[in-house]
Amino acid sequence: MTNSAGLEPRAKEFAEELESLFTAVLGSATAPEFKIEAATHRSGSQRFVVEPNPARIQLSINGEPALTLGCYFHCEWDGRGEHLKVRKSGFTVSPIGERAAPLFRYEYEDSMSRAFPSAHLQIHAHRDEFLFAMLRGDRGKPRSRRQAALGEAPKAAPHLSNLHFALGGPRFRPCVEDILQLLLVEFGIDTVHGAQDALNRGRIAWRRQQLAAAVRDDPATAAHVLREMGYSAAPPPTGHPEANTTGLGRI
């Protein structure tokens, strides 16, 4: 099942899972609906974009509007055409206000260029001096790649938001529950009773999904570990499938 007709109901199911999570954490009065829209990647592959409606989820602190959370998920089939895969996603946390600059962003893109980690954090804040000191030397990113990444003249002072902090790669990157946990613990956003339990359950489900994907990436290693633990794990008659180095090798 690799056609868009089969992908659409799975994307809708994913959108419903997100709605259930946000309702369990924020309450039905605050949680958004999630919409899906068909899109075509530049490679020609079919995908569906899952986003909240409205695009910015308003978050309150002590009953007062304080932050907004924007998020998106680009969904398509995995390489085998069997499982829904998030090819690209992002979360943006901003102070309340139409033109407020973000506080920080989490972003993920499976096909991101080698200049950036596929899963990363960008902080939109002050203290640019330490970043300027880091980028003055010739260590780290080659100078040409640094300038291309920054999109600035060689002697321009860079911004902290230009720095991409790696966050676990395709398989073990932060999930939606991690973002909401951060907002709950560090910012004290308003939530409903049972929010933490919902986050715990969602996080466990996410880790299990990613573990299953990691096993599919490298079944030979998974079988080896299982045999070490006493399980019987023989390869199929055709031998172990080739490891997916995209999932394993991307930072």
Side-chain angles (χ1 to χ4, degrees), residues 41-82:
H41 187 248
R42 58 180 176 272
S43 65
S45 63
Q46 180 68 49
R47 63 175 51 178
F48 283 89
V49 180
V50 179
E51 295 179 306
N53 185 25
R56 291 188 176 188
I57 304 168
Q58 184 169 289
L59 306 173
S60 62
I61 299 175
N62 295 326
E64 296 293 332
L67 300 170
T68 63
L69 170 63
C71 58
Y72 62 85
F73 307 85
H74 291 208
C75 304
E76 59 184 54
W77 290 120
D78 66 1
R80 295 180 175 86
E82 299 174 353

Short mmCIF file of all heavy atoms in Angstrom, two decimals, residues 41-82:
data_model
loop_
_atom_site.label_atom_id
_atom_site.label_comp_id
_atom_site.label_asym_id
_atom_site.label_seq_id
_atom_site.Cartn_x
_atom_site.Cartn_y
_atom_site.Cartn_z
N HIS A 41 6.42 16.26 -2.69
CA HIS A 41 7.81 16.63 -2.45
C HIS A 41 8.51 16.88 -3.78
O HIS A 41 8.07 16.39 -4.83
CB HIS A 41 8.49 15.50 -1.67
CG HIS A 41 9.87 15.84 -1.21
ND1 HIS A 41 10.99 15.23 -1.71
CD2 HIS A 41 10.31 16.73 -0.29
CE1 HIS A 41 12.06 15.72 -1.13
NE2 HIS A 41 11.68 16.62 -0.26
N ARG A 42 9.61 17.62 -3.74
CA ARG A 42 10.34 17.91 -4.98
C ARG A 42 10.85 16.64 -5.66
O ARG A 42 11.13 16.62 -6.86
CB ARG A 42 11.52 18.85 -4.69
CG ARG A 42 12.51 18.34 -3.67
CD ARG A 42 13.63 19.35 -3.46
NE ARG A 42 14.57 18.95 -2.43
CZ ARG A 42 14.44 19.22 -1.15
NH1 ARG A 42 13.38 19.92 -0.75
NH2 ARG A 42 15.34 18.81 -0.27
N SER A 43 10.97 15.53 -4.89
CA SER A 43 11.38 14.25 -5.46
C SER A 43 10.24 13.58 -6.20
O SER A 43 10.43 12.60 -6.91
CB SER A 43 11.86 13.32 -4.35
OG SER A 43 10.81 12.99 -3.47
N GLY A 44 9.02 14.12 -6.05
CA GLY A 44 7.85 13.54 -6.69
C GLY A 44 7.02 12.65 -5.77
O GLY A 44 5.94 12.21 -6.16
N SER A 45 7.51 12.38 -4.58
CA SER A 45 6.80 11.51 -3.65
C SER A 45 5.59 12.22 -3.06
O SER A 45 5.61 13.43 -2.83
CB SER A 45 7.73 11.04 -2.53
OG SER A 45 8.19 12.15 -1.77
N GLN A 46 4.53 11.46 -2.82
CA GLN A 46 3.30 12.01 -2.24
C GLN A 46 3.45 12.10 -0.73
O GLN A 46 4.04 11.23 -0.09
CB GLN A 46 2.12 11.10 -2.58
CG GLN A 46 0.79 11.56 -2.03
CD GLN A 46 0.31 12.84 -2.69
OE1 GLN A 46 0.30 12.95 -3.90
NE2 GLN A 46 -0.09 13.80 -1.88
N ARG A 47 2.92 13.17 -0.16
CA ARG A 47 2.95 13.33 1.29
C ARG A 47 1.74 14.13 1.73
O ARG A 47 1.06 14.77 0.91
CB ARG A 47 4.24 14.01 1.77
CG ARG A 47 4.44 15.42 1.27
CD ARG A 47 5.69 16.08 1.87
NE ARG A 47 6.89 15.28 1.74
CZ ARG A 47 8.09 15.65 2.16
NH1 ARG A 47 8.24 16.84 2.73
NH2 ARG A 47 9.14 14.89 2.00
N PHE A 48 1.48 14.08 3.04
CA PHE A 48 0.42 14.89 3.63
C PHE A 48 1.02 15.71 4.76
O PHE A 48 1.79 15.20 5.58
CB PHE A 48 -0.71 14.01 4.16
CG PHE A 48 -1.61 13.47 3.08
CD1 PHE A 48 -1.31 12.26 2.46
CD2 PHE A 48 -2.72 14.18 2.66
CE1 PHE A 48 -2.12 11.78 1.45
CE2 PHE A 48 -3.54 13.69 1.65
CZ PHE A 48 -3.24 12.48 1.04
N VAL A 49 0.66 16.98 4.79
CA VAL A 49 1.13 17.89 5.83
C VAL A 49 0.06 17.97 6.91
O VAL A 49 -1.10 18.26 6.62
CB VAL A 49 1.42 19.29 5.26
CG1 VAL A 49 1.91 20.22 6.38
CG2 VAL A 49 2.45 19.21 4.13
N VAL A 50 0.46 17.68 8.14
CA VAL A 50 -0.44 17.72 9.29
C VAL A 50 -0.08 18.94 10.12
O VAL A 50 1.06 19.09 10.56
CB VAL A 50 -0.33 16.44 10.14
CG1 VAL A 50 -1.26 16.51 11.34
CG2 VAL A 50 -0.63 15.21 9.28
N GLU A 51 -1.05 19.84 10.33
CA GLU A 51 -0.82 21.08 11.06
C GLU A 51 -2.03 21.40 11.93
O GLU A 51 -3.16 21.01 11.60
CB GLU A 51 -0.60 22.25 10.10
CG GLU A 51 0.64 22.16 9.25
CD GLU A 51 0.77 23.35 8.32
OE1 GLU A 51 -0.19 23.60 7.56
OE2 GLU A 51 1.81 24.02 8.34
N PRO A 52 -1.81 22.15 13.03
CA PRO A 52 -2.96 22.58 13.84
C PRO A 52 -3.72 23.68 13.12
O PRO A 52 -3.19 24.40 12.28
CB PRO A 52 -2.30 23.11 15.12
CG PRO A 52 -0.93 23.53 14.69
CD PRO A 52 -0.53 22.59 13.60
N ASN A 53 -4.99 23.79 13.47
CA ASN A 53 -5.83 24.85 12.93
C ASN A 53 -6.59 25.49 14.09
O ASN A 53 -7.45 24.86 14.69
CB ASN A 53 -6.81 24.27 11.91
CG ASN A 53 -7.64 25.33 11.23
OD1 ASN A 53 -7.23 26.48 11.15
ND2 ASN A 53 -8.82 24.95 10.75
N PRO A 54 -6.26 26.75 14.47
CA PRO A 54 -5.32 27.68 13.83
C PRO A 54 -3.87 27.24 13.96
O PRO A 54 -3.54 26.38 14.79
CB PRO A 54 -5.57 28.99 14.57
CG PRO A 54 -6.05 28.57 15.92
CD PRO A 54 -6.88 27.36 15.68
N ALA A 55 -3.00 27.87 13.14
CA ALA A 55 -1.61 27.43 13.05
C ALA A 55 -0.85 27.60 14.35
O ALA A 55 0.04 26.81 14.66
CB ALA A 55 -0.90 28.18 11.93
N ARG A 56 -1.18 28.65 15.12
CA ARG A 56 -0.50 28.88 16.39
C ARG A 56 -1.40 28.47 17.54
O ARG A 56 -2.50 29.00 17.70
CB ARG A 56 -0.11 30.36 16.54
CG ARG A 56 0.98 30.81 15.59
CD ARG A 56 1.42 32.23 15.93
NE ARG A 56 2.52 32.67 15.11
CZ ARG A 56 3.19 33.81 15.32
NH1 ARG A 56 2.83 34.59 16.33
NH2 ARG A 56 4.18 34.16 14.54
N ILE A 57 -0.93 27.54 18.35
CA ILE A 57 -1.68 27.08 19.51
C ILE A 57 -1.38 28.03 20.66
O ILE A 57 -0.22 28.19 21.05
CB ILE A 57 -1.27 25.65 19.88
CG1 ILE A 57 -1.46 24.72 18.67
CG2 ILE A 57 -2.06 25.16 21.08
CD1 ILE A 57 -0.80 23.36 18.85
N GLN A 58 -2.39 28.66 21.19
CA GLN A 58 -2.18 29.63 22.27
C GLN A 58 -2.07 28.91 23.61
O GLN A 58 -2.91 28.07 23.95
CB GLN A 58 -3.32 30.65 22.31
CG GLN A 58 -3.12 31.75 23.33
CD GLN A 58 -4.11 32.88 23.16
OE1 GLN A 58 -4.05 33.66 22.21
NE2 GLN A 58 -5.05 32.97 24.06
N LEU A 59 -1.04 29.25 24.37
CA LEU A 59 -0.79 28.64 25.67
C LEU A 59 -0.87 29.72 26.74
O LEU A 59 -0.36 30.83 26.56
CB LEU A 59 0.60 27.99 25.70
CG LEU A 59 0.90 26.98 24.59
CD1 LEU A 59 2.36 26.55 24.64
CD2 LEU A 59 -0.03 25.78 24.70
N SER A 60 -1.49 29.40 27.84
CA SER A 60 -1.64 30.37 28.93
C SER A 60 -0.79 29.96 30.12
O SER A 60 -0.45 28.79 30.30
CB SER A 60 -3.11 30.49 29.34
OG SER A 60 -3.60 29.25 29.83
N ILE A 61 -0.44 30.95 30.93
CA ILE A 61 0.27 30.74 32.19
C ILE A 61 -0.50 31.50 33.26
O ILE A 61 -0.72 32.71 33.13
CB ILE A 61 1.72 31.23 32.10
CG1 ILE A 61 2.49 30.45 31.03
CG2 ILE A 61 2.43 31.09 33.46
CD1 ILE A 61 3.91 30.94 30.79
N ASN A 62 -0.92 30.78 34.29
CA ASN A 62 -1.76 31.38 35.35
C ASN A 62 -2.99 32.07 34.78
O ASN A 62 -3.38 33.16 35.22
CB ASN A 62 -0.93 32.37 36.18
CG ASN A 62 0.18 31.69 36.95
OD1 ASN A 62 0.02 30.54 37.40
ND2 ASN A 62 1.31 32.36 37.10
N GLY A 63 -3.56 31.46 33.77
CA GLY A 63 -4.80 31.97 33.20
C GLY A 63 -4.65 33.08 32.19
O GLY A 63 -5.65 33.53 31.62
N GLU A 64 -3.44 33.55 31.94
CA GLU A 64 -3.20 34.64 31.00
C GLU A 64 -2.49 34.14 29.75
O GLU A 64 -1.51 33.38 29.86
CB GLU A 64 -2.35 35.73 31.66
CG GLU A 64 -3.01 36.42 32.84
CD GLU A 64 -4.22 37.24 32.42
OE1 GLU A 64 -4.23 37.72 31.26
OE2 GLU A 64 -5.14 37.40 33.23
N PRO A 65 -2.93 34.53 28.54
CA PRO A 65 -2.22 34.14 27.32
C PRO A 65 -0.75 34.57 27.39
O PRO A 65 -0.46 35.73 27.70
CB PRO A 65 -2.97 34.89 26.22
CG PRO A 65 -4.33 35.14 26.79
CD PRO A 65 -4.11 35.37 28.26
N ALA A 66 0.16 33.64 27.11
CA ALA A 66 1.57 33.95 27.30
C ALA A 66 2.45 33.49 26.13
O ALA A 66 3.39 34.19 25.76
CB ALA A 66 2.08 33.30 28.59
N LEU A 67 2.18 32.32 25.57
CA LEU A 67 3.03 31.76 24.54
C LEU A 67 2.18 31.21 23.40
O LEU A 67 0.98 30.97 23.55
CB LEU A 67 3.88 30.61 25.10
CG LEU A 67 4.83 30.91 26.25
CD1 LEU A 67 5.39 29.61 26.82
CD2 LEU A 67 5.96 31.84 25.81
N THR A 68 2.82 31.00 22.26
CA THR A 68 2.19 30.26 21.17
C THR A 68 3.12 29.12 20.77
O THR A 68 4.35 29.24 20.84
CB THR A 68 1.90 31.14 19.95
OG1 THR A 68 3.12 31.64 19.40
CG2 THR A 68 0.97 32.28 20.31
N LEU A 69 2.52 28.03 20.34
CA LEU A 69 3.26 26.88 19.84
C LEU A 69 2.79 26.58 18.43
O LEU A 69 1.61 26.33 18.19
CB LEU A 69 3.01 25.66 20.73
CG LEU A 69 3.54 24.31 20.21
CD1 LEU A 69 5.06 24.33 20.09
CD2 LEU A 69 3.08 23.17 21.12
N GLY A 70 3.72 26.66 17.48
CA GLY A 70 3.44 26.27 16.11
C GLY A 70 4.10 24.94 15.83
O GLY A 70 5.19 24.66 16.33
N CYS A 71 3.45 24.09 15.05
CA CYS A 71 4.06 22.81 14.71
C CYS A 71 3.54 22.32 13.37
O CYS A 71 2.48 22.74 12.91
CB CYS A 71 3.81 21.76 15.80
SG CYS A 71 2.08 21.44 16.17
N TYR A 72 4.30 21.43 12.73
CA TYR A 72 3.89 20.83 11.46
C TYR A 72 4.59 19.49 11.32
O TYR A 72 5.65 19.24 11.91
CB TYR A 72 4.25 21.75 10.28
CG TYR A 72 5.74 22.00 10.12
CD1 TYR A 72 6.55 21.12 9.43
CD2 TYR A 72 6.33 23.12 10.70
CE1 TYR A 72 7.92 21.34 9.30
CE2 TYR A 72 7.70 23.35 10.58
CZ TYR A 72 8.48 22.46 9.87
OH TYR A 72 9.83 22.68 9.77
N PHE A 73 3.99 18.61 10.52
CA PHE A 73 4.53 17.28 10.28
C PHE A 73 4.28 16.92 8.82
O PHE A 73 3.13 16.95 8.37
CB PHE A 73 3.85 16.23 11.18
CG PHE A 73 3.87 16.57 12.64
CD1 PHE A 73 2.88 17.39 13.18
CD2 PHE A 73 4.86 16.08 13.47
CE1 PHE A 73 2.88 17.71 14.53
CE2 PHE A 73 4.87 16.41 14.82
CZ PHE A 73 3.89 17.21 15.35
N HIS A 74 5.33 16.60 8.08
CA HIS A 74 5.20 16.15 6.70
C HIS A 74 5.29 14.63 6.70
O HIS A 74 6.33 14.05 7.04
CB HIS A 74 6.31 16.74 5.82
CG HIS A 74 6.19 18.21 5.61
ND1 HIS A 74 6.68 18.85 4.49
CD2 HIS A 74 5.62 19.19 6.37
CE1 HIS A 74 6.42 20.15 4.57
NE2 HIS A 74 5.78 20.37 5.71
N CYS A 75 4.19 13.98 6.33
CA CYS A 75 4.07 12.52 6.47
C CYS A 75 4.07 11.84 5.10
O CYS A 75 3.40 12.30 4.16
CB CYS A 75 2.79 12.17 7.20
SG CYS A 75 2.62 12.94 8.83
N GLU A 76 4.79 10.72 5.01
CA GLU A 76 4.78 9.90 3.80
C GLU A 76 5.06 8.46 4.21
O GLU A 76 5.27 8.17 5.39
CB GLU A 76 5.79 10.40 2.78
CG GLU A 76 7.22 10.42 3.26
CD GLU A 76 8.17 11.03 2.22
OE1 GLU A 76 7.91 12.16 1.77
OE2 GLU A 76 9.14 10.35 1.87
N TRP A 77 5.06 7.55 3.23
CA TRP A 77 5.38 6.16 3.53
C TRP A 77 6.87 6.00 3.77
O TRP A 77 7.68 6.76 3.23
CB TRP A 77 4.97 5.25 2.38
CG TRP A 77 3.51 5.08 2.18
CD1 TRP A 77 2.79 5.40 1.06
CD2 TRP A 77 2.56 4.56 3.11
NE1 TRP A 77 1.47 5.11 1.24
CE2 TRP A 77 1.29 4.58 2.49
CE3 TRP A 77 2.66 4.07 4.43
CZ2 TRP A 77 0.13 4.14 3.13
CZ3 TRP A 77 1.50 3.63 5.07
CH2 TRP A 77 0.26 3.66 4.42
N ASP A 78 7.24 5.02 4.58
CA ASP A 78 8.65 4.70 4.74
C ASP A 78 9.16 4.00 3.49
O ASP A 78 8.43 3.81 2.51
CB ASP A 78 8.88 3.85 6.00
CG ASP A 78 8.25 2.46 5.90
OD1 ASP A 78 7.65 2.13 4.86
OD2 ASP A 78 8.37 1.69 6.89
N GLY A 79 10.44 3.61 3.51
CA GLY A 79 11.05 3.02 2.32
C GLY A 79 10.39 1.75 1.85
O GLY A 79 10.44 1.41 0.66
N ARG A 80 9.75 1.02 2.77
CA ARG A 80 9.07 -0.22 2.40
C ARG A 80 7.62 -0.01 2.02
O ARG A 80 6.94 -0.95 1.62
CB ARG A 80 9.16 -1.22 3.56
CG ARG A 80 10.58 -1.67 3.88
CD ARG A 80 10.58 -2.67 5.04
NE ARG A 80 11.91 -3.21 5.29
CZ ARG A 80 12.82 -2.63 6.05
NH1 ARG A 80 12.54 -1.47 6.64
NH2 ARG A 80 14.00 -3.17 6.23
N GLY A 81 7.12 1.22 2.18
CA GLY A 81 5.73 1.49 1.85
C GLY A 81 4.76 0.84 2.80
O GLY A 81 3.61 0.56 2.43
N GLU A 82 5.17 0.64 4.06
CA GLU A 82 4.34 -0.07 5.03
C GLU A 82 3.95 0.78 6.23
O GLU A 82 2.90 0.57 6.83
CB GLU A 82 5.06 -1.32 5.53
CG GLU A 82 5.39 -2.33 4.43
CD GLU A 82 6.24 -3.48 4.96
OE1 GLU A 82 6.67 -3.40 6.13
OE2 GLU A 82 6.47 -4.43 4.20
#
